[in-house]
Amino acid sequence: MVVRHNLHRNVRILLVGDRGVGKTSLILSLVSEEFPEDVPPKSEEITIPADVTPELVPTNIVDYSAVEQSDMQLVEEVQRANVICVVYSVDDDDTMDRVTSYWLPFLRETLTHTHRCPVVLVGNKVDLVDYSTVDAAMEIMNDYKEVESFVECSAKTLNNISEMFYYAQKAVLHPTGPLYITDKQDLTEPCKKALTRIFKICDLDNDGLLNDHELNYFQKRCFDTPLRPEAMDDIKALLKRNISGGVSNNNCITLSGFLFLHLLFLQRGRSHTTWAVLRSFGYNDHLRMDSNYLFPKLKVPYGCSTELSYRGQMFFLNLFERFDSDKDGALSPHEQEKLFSICPAPPWRSELKHIVPTNSQGWVTADGFLCFWVLTTLQDPNTTLEYLAHFGYVINENENQLSAVQVTREKSLDLLKKQSTRNVYECHVFGAKGVGKTTLCQGFIGRKHHTSESGSGDSLPTSTVNSVIIYGQEKFLVLKEMNVQNIHSLTEMDISCDVVCLVYDCTDPKSFSYVASLYKKYYVENQMPVLVVGNRGEEGEVAQDSRLQPSEFCDKHCLSPPHFFSHQPQRQKELFQKLATMAAFPRFHAAWMLFYRHTSHLKELGLLTGDSIMLKAGLGITLFAALGFIFVRLLNSSAHKR
């Protein structure tokens, strides 16, 4: 596993300070490992390769000389720097006074809020004195929070030279400022919030504790190595000695103990340890989730769609099971709140019960939870990628959320091959206003639609999604209600889908002409599967004010006969299975069209009359044999591909 130790490609260190404090000598002593006898006014910019630095990051060291550079050049260098070393001479009180009277105020004025730069305070020439300036330096650090660390060194004796530049690197790669409040000796609130989220992700059984298995899960994820049993015992013993309640009665680490461990790391100068943990879970230097971590690049070519992979489906189902603490098959408001406590906000609002299957109380079920993410991945894959990261799916740089999402092949290839390899299909439901489109879509998720729920019904979500079993395989069907009254204004996005459902009201004689006109305008020359649905069929069918009645229309255009939709569960199930099957097997639809074309020609020749019973029977046998052969080929092909 590759751990994200830092997000920087290089470190640029700038040394500033009064003349004669030894800035140039420090740089030259580091590079040559000996004190230079002849010191120039200014050192050239030094580049240290990544492989010789402790953090394996290329480092540029830049000198400043008041003799050779103007104030404007100094400002430019300050704004380019990643970290600034303010150097003073420990044997010259004036140079130290200038740190607070000039240099630190100057840096504050020069640096903008968009470019905050950590500062390392450097006391040079310790070889000339027998005392330390550490107390004065600590006062400066308390007054100027941008000062990350302090080091005393000597360019002449090489004392602490490499440590000085290591502290400078560390101030950039592992800054303590965002994590630790020096005067309060406590973690910052953003740091506590981030570490609390990490604790909850690693608390795999949701009991508010980290047991040995969960602690090792955390350790392997962040550092690619498990803890030795004796090391685990040492950690617990340390917590028991230093904080009450850091270890539970059953010998597990509590949240307060977990936070205290990181407080100790920071107080002991091990900010790199806490940053390794934070960056393993996607946090940047500002303790916000990094956008590259949340949104890895996903390429979706034109005509393709996005689905959850098997791993993605299993992750969401396991996540649901983990937070369904009472095992009732639904997420209560309390369970839902606990689930999304590791996210910025829930991805849905109260209308979820009108989109996916829920229980009688409106709580999302396991099927509904998976269906929501299936729909989100289809319509907005970036949101799925984001929440996968928030939920802790991301493991390392080499395997991110993209393994939970798959991109399908182009839909035109599905139509060409007359077979779909996808698992999620989109059905656009068209019909005139008031024909019952909303009732049909809500029936798909087991809800009886009442107009009083949404006034006119227009405010309900337009999409519903549920799973459908097709020949033993689970597929997902998305019904999208298309409320377009002017059929001449449809866009390519409105028209394009996997299967079209044209709804009319059997009791309204004016309702069929809408879908008939829409079909003739957009789908008559299209290979897309189309199903005509008559709503309220149980109330009786009246003649439609149309040149052709629905059955005649379907017969003429080689469509399947109208499907009459009612409130009977079995009839509803048949409709949704038929729509999903037509989407999954366009070849079946093509076979129906071929059969209807042939029978139409025979009718014109007078061969299909009431007296031609044997011919009808023969054609029927031929049709079913052909369809049977097609389905065997399809199922064998699908099984072979899997």
Side-chain angles (χ1 to χ4, degrees):
M1 177 166 60
V2 179
V3 179
R4 301 178 184 216
H5 288 294
N6 64 73
L7 302 176
H8 289 269
R9 294 182 178 178
N10 53 53
V11 174
R12 188 174 181 85
I13 303 172
L14 173 64
L15 274 67
V16 299
D18 288 352
R19 292 179 61 182
V21 295
K23 302 185 297 298
T24 306
S25 297
L26 287 169
I27 297 173
L28 298 178
S29 293
L30 173 74
V31 175
S32 64
E33 297 185 350
E34 62 180 6
F35 182 70
E37 296 299 332
D38 186 16
V39 181
K42 177 180 177 294
S43 169
E44 296 296 324
E45 182 174 325
I46 303 296
T47 299
I48 302 178
D51 57 357
V52 297
T53 65
E55 296 292 340
L56 300 178
V57 176
T59 301
N60 296 76
I61 303 176
V62 181
D63 195 7
Y64 162 69
S65 170
V67 174
E68 296 192 1
Q69 292 175 285
S70 65
D71 290 344
M72 183 61 68
Q73 288 174 311
L74 173 60
V75 169
E76 290 176 356
E77 288 294 354
V78 167
Q79 292 174 343
R80 292 179 63 195
N82 299 124
V83 57
I84 298 172
C85 294
V86 179
V87 185
Y88 66 92
S89 177
V90 295
D91 69 332
D92 186 345
D93 291 342
D94 290 340
T95 63
M96 188 167 196
D97 291 340
R98 285 264 296 169
V99 169
T100 54
S101 65
Y102 175 74
W103 285 109
L104 289 176
F106 167 76
L107 294 179
R108 279 188 173 180
E109 181 180 346
T110 304
L111 295 169
T112 64
H113 69 280
T114 58
H115 179 65
R116 303 227 177 246
C117 194
V119 173
V120 175
L121 195 57
V122 180
N124 190 24
K125 304 184 181 182
V126 293
D127 58 292
L128 299 180
V129 298
D130 57 0
Y131 56 84
S132 173
T133 58
V134 63
D135 291 337
M138 292 304 296
E139 289 183 12
I140 294 175
M141 292 180 68
N142 287 333
D143 293 336
Y144 292 86
K145 303 305 179 186
E146 60 267 40
V147 179
E148 283 277 332
S149 55
F150 158 70
V151 60
E152 289 183 328
C153 58
S154 170
K156 187 170 186 178
T157 64
L158 307 185
N159 182 27
N160 276 350
I161 297 296
S162 59
E163 286 81 359
M164 166 200 158
F165 289 100
Y166 168 70
Y167 285 139
Q169 269 194 337
K170 185 178 171 185
V172 177
L173 304 178
H174 316 298
T176 58
L179 310 182
Y180 184 67
I181 307 172
T182 305
D183 51 353
K184 293 184 178 180
Q185 296 187 355
D186 195 9
L187 301 175
T188 64
E189 287 305 315
C191 181
K192 289 180 182 178
K193 183 178 179 181
L195 291 173
T196 299
R197 172 182 165 267
I198 292 170
F199 180 91
K200 290 180 178 180
I201 289 174
C202 297
D203 179 17
L204 302 177
D205 58 7
N206 286 350
D207 65 349
L209 303 168
L210 292 185
N211 58 35
D212 290 356
H213 168 71
E214 293 164 341
L215 195 58
N216 261 327
Y217 167 78
F218 161 80
Q219 181 75 10
K220 289 179 68 176
R221 172 158 178 168
C222 297
F223 305 104
D224 197 27
T225 179
L227 281 171
R228 292 177 290 106
E230 53 269 28
M232 201 173 293
D233 292 339
D234 290 344
I235 290 173
K236 294 176 183 178
L238 174 69
L239 289 174
K240 289 177 181 178
R241 289 195 305 269
N242 288 278
I243 179 173
S244 176
V247 179
S248 67
N249 294 333
N250 57 348
N251 209 33
C252 298
I253 293 179
T254 64
L255 175 59
S256 60
F258 183 75
L259 295 177
F260 182 76
L261 279 177
H262 288 280
L263 181 62
L264 286 181
F265 292 150
L266 294 168
Q267 290 176 339
R268 296 178 181 182
R270 292 180 56 188
S271 60
H272 58 281
T273 302
T274 299
W275 274 117
V277 170
L278 292 166
R279 286 169 179 146
S280 293
F281 286 83
Y283 288 95
N284 61 22
D285 289 352
H286 306 288
L287 288 180
R288 292 191 290 268
M289 299 286 281
D290 188 73
S291 59
N292 292 327
Y293 185 89
L294 292 174
F295 306 109
K297 292 183 179 179
L298 177 67
K299 294 182 179 179
V300 185
Y302 178 79
C304 301
S305 61
T306 45
E307 300 179 357
L308 286 178
S309 66
Y310 176 77
R311 288 190 61 179
Q313 290 188 34
M314 289 301 99
F315 176 82
F316 281 117
L317 288 175
N318 291 334
L319 186 70
F320 179 93
E321 184 177 351
R322 173 181 163 187
F323 284 89
D324 180 20
S325 55
D326 56 9
K327 306 304 176 187
D328 66 345
L331 289 181
S332 68
H334 173 70
E335 292 167 340
Q336 181 176 306
E337 180 181 0
K338 194 170 184 180
L339 167 64
F340 292 120
S341 68
I342 55 180
C343 303
W348 61 62
R349 298 191 296 273
S350 59
E351 75 270 13
L352 181 69
K353 64 183 179 181
H354 296 292
I355 300 174
V356 302
T358 59
N359 68 5
S360 58
Q361 295 171 284
W363 300 351
V364 65
T365 61
D367 288 340
F369 189 71
L370 180 59
C371 282
F372 173 82
W373 293 110
V374 165
L375 177 64
T376 302
T377 305
L378 175 69
Q379 297 180 343
D380 184 12
N382 271 342
T383 294
T384 297
L385 295 175
E386 177 186 4
Y387 275 85
L388 283 167
H390 287 307
F391 287 133
Y393 179 89
V394 182
I395 298 174
N396 57 63
E397 286 182 320
N398 297 327
E399 185 178 345
N400 55 26
Q401 309 98 293
L402 294 180
S403 64
V405 176
Q406 61 189 22
V407 179
T408 68
R409 75 182 183 188
E410 193 174 345
K411 289 184 180 181
S412 60
L413 289 177
D414 287 347
L415 290 174
L416 183 65
K417 295 179 179 295
K418 299 183 174 65
Q419 179 184 358
S420 173
T421 59
R422 288 172 287 123
N423 296 305
V424 183
Y425 306 108
E426 190 167 17
C427 171
H428 287 184
V429 182
F430 289 97
K433 187 175 182 180
V435 297
K437 300 188 299 296
T438 303
T439 300
L440 185 150
C441 293
Q442 291 296 302
F444 184 40
I445 57 173
R447 290 187 65 84
K448 292 183 178 180
H449 172 63
H450 302 287
T451 305
S452 59
E453 287 184 315
S454 57
S456 65
D458 293 338
S459 63
L460 285 181
T462 58
S463 295
T464 55
V465 56
N466 206 343
S467 60
V468 180
I469 302 299
I470 304 176
Y471 300 106
Q473 296 184 358
E474 184 180 50
K475 304 289 185 179
F476 295 90
L477 181 65
V478 177
L479 299 185
K480 185 174 182 180
E481 183 177 344
M482 308 298 292
N483 294 308
V484 182
Q485 298 309 312
N486 182 3
I487 65 171
H488 301 289
S489 63
L490 295 182
T491 65
E492 183 180 354
M493 188 175 295
D494 295 329
I495 301 165
S496 179
C497 58
D498 299 300
V499 60
V500 180
C501 180
L502 302 179
V503 184
Y504 72 98
D505 184 350
C506 293
T507 65
D508 181 359
K510 298 181 179 180
S511 63
F512 182 72
S513 59
Y514 175 94
V515 294
S517 299
L518 187 143
Y519 177 83
K520 287 188 288 186
K521 181 171 179 60
Y522 296 106
Y523 296 107
V524 70
E525 299 294 337
N526 197 312
Q527 296 185 50
M528 196 171 298
V530 176
L531 182 64
V532 175
V533 175
N535 194 21
R536 302 189 180 97
E538 74 277 9
E539 299 180 22
E541 189 174 8
V542 300
Q544 294 291 317
D545 295 341
S546 177
R547 190 172 65 85
L548 295 174
Q549 294 303 300
S551 296
E552 297 171 329
F553 182 88
C554 293
D555 186 51
K556 177 182 178 180
H557 293 285
C558 306
L559 299 175
S560 301
H563 182 102
F564 294 104
F565 180 80
S566 70
H567 294 296
Q568 296 178 2
Q570 184 58 34
R571 291 293 291 166
Q572 293 186 5
K573 182 179 179 181
E574 290 173 0
L575 169 62
F576 303 130
Q577 283 187 326
K578 184 180 292 186
L579 288 169
T581 303
M582 292 171 68
F585 300 107
R587 190 180 297 180
F588 175 67
H589 172 69
W592 269 111
M593 293 180 70
L594 181 63
F595 171 70
Y596 272 98
R597 287 194 183 100
H598 282 305
T599 55
S600 296
H601 293 320
L602 292 173
K603 285 180 182 179
E604 291 174 3
L605 295 172
L607 297 177
L608 274 186
T609 64
D611 298 326
S612 56
I613 301 300
M614 293 303 293
L615 182 56
K616 287 182 180 179
L619 283 171
I621 293 171
T622 302
L623 170 66
F624 282 109
L627 292 178
F629 175 73
I630 289 172
F631 275 111
V632 169
R633 288 284 301 275
L634 288 172
L635 293 176
N636 287 341
S637 175
S638 299
H640 177 70
K641 289 183 178 182
R642 286 181 172 80

